[in-house]
Amino acid sequence: MIIKKSSSININLASLFQLIKRLTSNFSEMALNALLFAAMMAAVAAPAFGSDFIVGDDAGWKLNVNYTAWAQGKQFHVGDRLIFKYTQGSHNVQRLSNAGDFQGCTISAASPTGSDIITLASPGRKWYACGVSDHCSKGMKLAINVISDLAPAPAPGSDPKSPGNSAANGYSGFMSWAWALAALVLHKIIIA
């Protein structure tokens, strides 16, 4: 389950701006400029808002859930949050430091709270597991790849020094700049 903090509407931008122009025909030019500037800033800032992922969706964080399948096809970005929901005292969540600890279920102490929210603060591979009894070895663990909006993260198992994984080859902030440029162009078209 993904809970978006920002919403998007898939409509034709030219039609939207024509509608805004008709609705605001009585506005002064300064008010119209302020409205369009606010819309442009909202479009540029929208990627900064993360999403909340409830780990395991409705099943939550418990035994007999395939967390590999749950994570399959999801894109986790810096700023997103993982929400682990479970019965307090039955499970816990521990962030593991590397793939070896994940594979071997090497877990230090973790305190069970019943609901842990983890903000994904940096790009790269992340590993989580339940440290109660043998829950990790029974599959109660999650591995994800967090990507940055500034540069794509290297693929798992790839060499981050290879030319194909250079941050310079990523789209970095290109999409934000493209949206800002498109908004400015449309602003000029509407004002003209």
Side-chain angles (χ1 to χ4, degrees):
M1 176 180 297
I2 302 171
I3 303 168
K4 283 290 199 186
K5 292 184 183 174
S6 61
S7 62
S8 61
I9 301 172
N10 189 12
I11 61 173
N12 183 320
L13 284 178
S15 299
L16 175 64
F17 280 104
Q18 288 301 325
L19 176 64
I20 291 172
K21 188 174 182 180
R22 276 188 271 142
L23 291 174
T24 59
S25 60
N26 293 332
F27 282 8
S28 69
E29 185 175 335
M30 181 177 260
L32 181 60
N33 284 340
L35 177 66
L36 291 174
F37 179 75
M40 177 185 72
M41 296 314 301
V44 171
F49 296 110
S51 298
D52 287 346
F53 292 89
I54 298 174
V55 176
D57 293 328
D58 292 336
W61 184 241
K62 64 181 186 178
L63 288 168
N64 301 317
V65 176
N66 185 340
Y67 295 104
T68 302
W70 174 82
Q72 188 77 29
K74 290 179 174 59
Q75 285 192 351
F76 302 96
H77 296 268
V78 171
D80 289 348
R81 298 183 326 160
L82 297 178
I83 301 172
F84 292 85
K85 292 185 174 183
Y86 55 92
T87 304
Q88 186 174 4
S90 299
H91 305 291
N92 61 31
V93 178
Q94 176 68 37
R95 179 165 185 233
L96 306 175
S97 57
N98 58 55
D101 287 350
F102 180 78
Q103 292 299 325
C105 291
T106 306
I107 300 170
S108 60
S111 59
T113 64
S115 181
D116 294 309
I117 299 173
I118 298 172
T119 300
L120 303 173
S122 62
R125 293 291 287 168
K126 309 291 182 210
W127 303 273
Y128 304 94
C130 179
V132 173
S133 186
D134 59 351
H135 292 188
C136 177
S137 62
K138 289 183 176 179
M140 198 170 166
K141 55 187 179 177
L142 171 68
I144 62 170
N145 190 42
V146 179
I147 54 179
S148 171
D149 289 331
L150 299 177
S158 66
D159 180 9
K161 295 178 185 164
S162 71
N165 291 320
S166 167
N169 292 337
Y171 56 86
S172 64
F174 175 75
M175 290 307 292
S176 292
W177 284 104
W179 278 108
L181 180 61
L184 285 172
V185 168
L186 287 172
H187 177 265
K188 289 297 181 186
I189 290 170
I190 291 171
I191 297 302

